[in-house]
Amino acid sequence: MSPRPHAVLLVEDNPIIAMNTEALLEDLGITDVRVAANLAEALAFVNEVAFDFGLLDLKLGDEEDSLPVAARLADKGIPFAFATGAGDAMDGAEHRNAVAILKKPYRLEDLRRVIEAQLGL
């Protein structure tokens, strides 16, 4: 694998956070960021693209969450992290395969730390 993931799945239902996070990931040298705003889009991307990493907003609109995406990524051996607001509760069963849990709002250094940790840098 290259020093940075090439393809990252970003699951985020808030357009402003999605745009900001996409820009941060690009600042880290990631060349292919696919943004999904809901569960159906995210699952379709997982089926179509060979991702190196996933960053998943836990709670999505319409009472959805990204746990099915996390399970699919885990089945494929793709590392991922959850991003969650301070009010979101997560138990151990929900995030046992996540490499990290980022609390919103997160910064460039937070993303760098998570990505470098998953690469063993």
Side-chain angles (χ1 to χ4, degrees), residues 29-42:
I30 296 166
T31 58
D32 184 5
V33 179
R34 306 288 176 101
V35 180
N38 59 52
L39 182 59
E41 288 177 346

Side-chain angles (χ1 to χ4, degrees), residues 40-62:
E41 288 177 346
L43 290 172
F45 274 140
V46 172
N47 290 332
E48 298 168 4
V49 179
F51 290 106
D52 300 311
F53 188 73
L55 181 59
L56 315 177
D57 181 10
L58 178 62
K59 300 290 184 186
L60 304 172
D62 296 329

